[in-house]
């Protein structure tokens, strides 16, 4: 996990959620003038070099468009998507460099050295996945419901395909990385890479411990408050978002990437 995922060690022991699903963008394939001009020029050159063979042209065109449809969705070259609306419940994270890692007194060895990473643009869910959302996946696919035979997990265990009463908007927990992957595929998305998640969490800040700075207050996240700790989860989106408009990027629960 990245530094920001660890910064709220309050995140309830070994429970995880996987709010941050990303989805590439395929609209740019048809709305990017430069890309269309490039394809047109390439087709013209192929036509000339094959003596105007219709069969060759058909084969090449089919191959090119299959490759573009297959690979383009995960690679967005532009740094801004102001020309279109983000998918419902998602936020666009623009392409660009960011400073990844940490070397402060709270950082672990695998977070150094600090280095610059370029990340393509992508969409990220603005909030963690809730029990209510995950229940649809369980019911429609028959995937095993969250359950862990441990005393501390009792308040969060599901009974069949029913989550604990009154926890509709709580982040789903007791899910493995493989559970998260299965859910992501079901909704047509994927988990972010570690670099994508950290860039999204930092939201433009450099060398900070939290998504908003170096200090943390009770009204910024659900975290380990020592003797004041309530030992319970909060509904997703209960605290202010970061600069990208993402909620709960620190505190409440750990997140898979």
């Amino acid at each position: 996990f990245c530094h920001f995922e660890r910064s709220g060690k309050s995140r309830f022991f070994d429970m995880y959620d996987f709010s941050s699903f990303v989805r590439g963008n395929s609209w740019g394939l048809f709305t990017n003038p430069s890309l269309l001009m490039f394809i047109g020029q390439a087709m013209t050159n192929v036509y000339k070099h094959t003596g105007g063979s219709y069969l060759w042209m058909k084969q090449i065109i089919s191959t090119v468009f299959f490759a573009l449809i297959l690979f383009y969705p995960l690679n967005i070259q532009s740094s801004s998507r102001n020309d279109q609306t983000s998918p419902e419940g998602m936020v666009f994270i623009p392409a660009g460099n960011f400073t990844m890692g940490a070397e402060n007194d709270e950082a672990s060895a695998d977070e150094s050295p600090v280095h610059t990473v370029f990340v393509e643009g992508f969409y990220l869910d603005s909030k963690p996945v809730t029990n209510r959302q995950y229940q649809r996946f369980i019911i429609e696919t028959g995937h095993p419901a969250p359950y862990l035979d441990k005393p501390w997990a009792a308040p969060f265990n599901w009974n069949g395909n029913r989550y604990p009463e009154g926890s509709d908007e709580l982040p789903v927990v007791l899910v493995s990385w493989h559970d998260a992957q299965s859910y992501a595929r079901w909704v047509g998305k994927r988990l972010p890479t570690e670099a994508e998640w950290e860039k999204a969490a930092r939201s433009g800040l450099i060398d900070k411990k939290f998504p908003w700075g170096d200090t943390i207050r009770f009204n910024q996240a659900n975290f380990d408050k020592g003797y004041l700790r309530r030992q319970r989860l909060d509904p997703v989106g209960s605290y202010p978002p970061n600069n990208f408009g993402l909620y709960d990027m620190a505190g409440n629960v750990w997140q898979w990437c």
Side-chain angles (χ1 to χ4, degrees):
F1 290 136
C2 321
H3 174 73
F4 283 117
E5 292 178 321
R6 275 196 292 270
S7 59
K9 287 213 177 203
S10 56
R11 299 187 188 183
F12 287 87
F13 316 103
D14 297 319
M15 299 184 298
Y16 300 90
D17 85 319
F18 46 92
S19 59
S20 306
F21 291 116
V22 300
R23 180 167 71 185
N25 185 304
S26 59
W27 292 107
L29 172 61
F30 305 104
T31 59
N32 187 324
S34 299
L35 180 60
L36 293 176
M37 288 177 64
F38 171 79
I39 294 172
Q41 186 62 51
M43 293 299 99
T44 301
N45 291 338
V46 170
Y47 184 81
K48 290 179 180 178
H49 284 86
T50 57
S53 168
Y54 170 75
L55 185 60
W56 270 96
M57 284 295 293
K58 183 178 179 181
Q59 177 104 20
I60 294 294
I61 290 173
S62 298
T63 302
V64 168
F65 272 88
F66 174 77
L68 285 170
I69 292 171
L70 183 63
F71 295 112
Y72 190 83
L74 296 183
N75 295 290
I76 302 173
Q77 303 299 329
S78 64
S79 60
S80 173
R81 299 303 294 172
N82 294 329
D83 57 321
Q84 32 182 303
T85 303
S86 295
E88 184 179 359
M90 304 188 83
V91 172
F92 182 72
I93 311 301
N97 293 324
F98 83 102
T99 302
M100 183 174 182
E103 294 177 331
N104 56 59
D105 57 354
E106 295 183 8
S108 56
D110 62 356
E111 295 180 80
S112 62
V114 171
H115 55 292
T116 299
V117 177
F118 176 83
V119 176
E120 296 284 2
F122 63 97
Y123 288 105
L124 190 69
D125 281 5
S126 63
K127 295 178 181 178
V129 173
T130 64
N131 284 324
R132 175 178 52 79
Q133 292 171 314
Y134 197 72
Q135 185 184 51
R136 284 188 54 212
F137 165 63
I138 296 297
I139 293 174
E140 293 186 21
T141 67
H143 190 87
Y147 184 90
L148 187 61
D149 188 17
K150 298 286 184 180
W152 61 263
F156 312 101
N157 280 328
W158 290 39
N159 181 14
N161 59 15
R162 298 193 302 275
Y163 48 78
E165 185 177 357
S167 64
D168 308 54
E169 297 306 309
L170 294 185
V172 62
V173 295
L174 306 182
V175 292
S176 69
W177 183 85
H178 295 288
D179 293 330
Q181 288 282 62
S182 296
Y183 178 87
R185 287 193 295 269
W186 179 72
V187 293
K189 302 176 184 178
R190 64 172 172 83
L191 293 175
T193 65
E194 183 177 351
E196 287 172 336
W197 192 95
E198 185 166 341
K199 179 179 179 178
R202 290 187 180 279
S203 62
L205 300 183
I206 300 175
D207 193 28
K208 299 297 181 182
K209 295 181 179 180
F210 303 100
W212 48 80
D214 284 326
T215 60
I216 186 169
R217 298 190 299 271
F218 289 172
N219 63 352
Q220 291 177 309
N222 182 17
F223 64 100
D224 190 347
K225 307 174 181 68
Y227 67 92
L228 295 176
R229 182 175 178 175
R230 293 174 295 135
Q231 296 190 4
R232 72 183 188 201
L233 298 175
D234 284 331
V236 301
S238 294
Y239 299 91
N242 69 5
N243 293 334
F244 281 152
L246 301 170
Y247 294 84
D248 305 326
M249 298 304 282
N252 215 22
V253 287
W254 291 75
Q255 298 184 16
W256 284 117
C257 62

